[in-house]
Amino acid sequence: MHTQRRNLSALSPRVGLSALAVTGLLATAACGTESGSGDSGGKDPGASSVGTRQDTGLTGTQWNVDSVTAKGKTQDAPAGAHVEFGKDGKVGGNYGCNHFGATAEIEGDTITIGDDTVKTEMACTADGTMGFESKLGEAMSDSTIKAEVNGDKLTLTTEDGYTVKLTAEKQADLYGTKWNVTGTVKADAKGDTKGGSAVALASEAEGKVHLTFDEKGTVAGQLGCNKVTAKATVGDGIITLGTPGTTRKMCSDSLMDTERSLLKLFGGTVKYTLKGSNLTLTSENGAGLEAVAAK
């Protein structure tokens, strides 16, 4: 039987952990990571180190979730769902909407996940996302799991009949990739993202917000309502974004709110973290975003 997962936040359904905690929930080795910030990983406040007795090829890889099968029914994973096992005795990732972290002990092909799972508290509205999250969360919380690695494929089977299919992540390229924005960062009252919260996109904006960087030094995309272009100079873990040029359409309040939040990233320098198919941008003025590489 699964114990009830412990949450770190009692905020509204669309607001979760602080932005710093969200990016730190993976708490695993930063294999294949580009980052301009040393505080983006390994700081999961809710999971103590247990240790990995044997490295079976599970650790140091981001495993993208393909599907979960429960009670004979298989559900495909939404974009961004992934799991990562660390060599420090932790597991973290994303259920499809919310980030999570927990302790995990690996011995041979057996993984024991602790009952101390923590997760963010966003509510996503895309069809089936929260239902999938519930199934994956049940499989990855307070569980004993058998793991089978076959090349770039991983199968996790729990004692109570859940089967999770995963594929090893290939590092996405910052340039030329369509980055689908999945959430923004809301600063605290002092304008600090470290004390702020991750915010899921409004339902109307889901699937409509994206950015693409090119090696010529520009970024272009869609902010939910209007198209945007700007200069984008990439340095060592930072991107300097120029003044944005946009189209001039007016849309619903929710789309315009999303657009205004994202426009705060422009006209200054942002730190970026690129890991697998996940991109995070954070600025000093309280703005930020999370994005996933389009498949």
Side-chain angles (χ1 to χ4, degrees):
M1 178 179 296
H2 298 289
T3 59
Q4 184 176 3
R5 295 191 298 278
R6 184 167 50 87
N7 296 328
L8 290 185
S9 173
L11 300 175
S12 64
R14 300 194 69 81
V15 180
L17 302 180
S18 73
L20 180 63
V22 168
T23 56
L25 270 173
L26 291 180
T28 52
C31 178
T33 302
E34 298 178 50
S35 175
S37 174
D39 61 5
S40 62
K43 295 184 180 180
D44 176 6
S48 59
S49 179
V50 174
T52 303
R53 298 182 183 178
Q54 280 187 322
D55 188 343
T56 60
L58 288 170
T59 60
T61 297
Q62 178 176 306
W63 297 97
N64 291 337
V65 182
D66 299 321
S67 66
V68 173
T69 300
K71 297 180 180 179
K73 295 183 178 180
T74 299
Q75 186 172 353
D76 292 336
H82 64 275
V83 175
E84 194 167 348
F85 298 95
K87 294 182 179 180
D88 54 358
K90 298 176 185 178
V91 59
N94 188 289
Y95 288 138
C97 177
N98 285 286
H99 297 269
F100 74 95
T103 53
E105 183 175 347
I106 301 174
E107 186 173 7
D109 64 353
T110 301
I111 305 168
T112 303
I113 298 179
D115 61 0
D116 54 354
T117 305
V118 294
K119 74 181 189 72
T120 55
E121 280 292 307
M122 295 189 293
C124 296
T125 57
D127 290 345
T129 297
M130 300 309 292
F132 178 88
E133 177 162 304
S134 177
K135 289 184 175 64
L136 182 58
E138 290 169 358
M140 298 299 299
S141 301
D142 190 21
S143 302
T144 300
I145 299 171
K146 289 294 183 181
E148 180 182 352
V149 178
N150 185 7
D152 66 346
K153 300 293 184 180
L154 170 64
T155 301
L156 303 178
T157 306
T158 71
E159 290 183 331
D160 48 359
Y162 288 83
T163 300
V164 185
K165 299 284 188 179
L166 310 95
T167 302
E169 174 61 66
K170 295 180 180 178
Q171 180 68 39
D173 193 339
L174 176 66
Y175 298 114
T177 299
K178 180 181 178 181
W179 294 102
N180 290 325
V181 177
T182 57
T184 61
V185 173
K186 181 180 180 181
D188 63 13
K190 297 180 180 179
D192 184 3
T193 56
K194 290 185 178 182
S197 303
V199 181
L201 293 182
S203 59
E204 194 176 2
E206 289 177 356
K208 297 179 181 178
V209 186
H210 57 85
L211 296 171
T212 301
F213 297 87
D214 65 38
E215 296 185 31
K216 296 179 180 180
T218 62
V219 60
Q222 185 87 20
L223 300 179
C225 178
N226 287 285
K227 296 180 180 179
V228 63
T229 59
K231 291 183 178 180
T233 304
V234 180
D236 183 13
I238 62 171
I239 304 173
T240 301
L241 296 173
T243 302
T246 67
T247 53
R248 297 293 181 181
K249 293 193 300 181
M250 293 298 295
C251 297
S252 66
D253 289 344
S254 63
L255 286 178
M256 298 309 294
D257 285 346
T258 297
E259 187 162 302
R260 282 189 285 269
S261 295
L262 294 173
L263 283 172
K264 293 178 182 178
L265 287 165
F266 293 85
T269 299
V270 297
K271 295 181 180 180
Y272 80 92
T273 301
L274 175 59
K275 188 170 187 180
S277 61
N278 297 280
L279 174 67
T280 302
L281 303 182
T282 54
S283 71
E284 295 179 354
N285 67 7
L289 64 79
E290 296 178 334
V292 176
K295 295 183 179 180

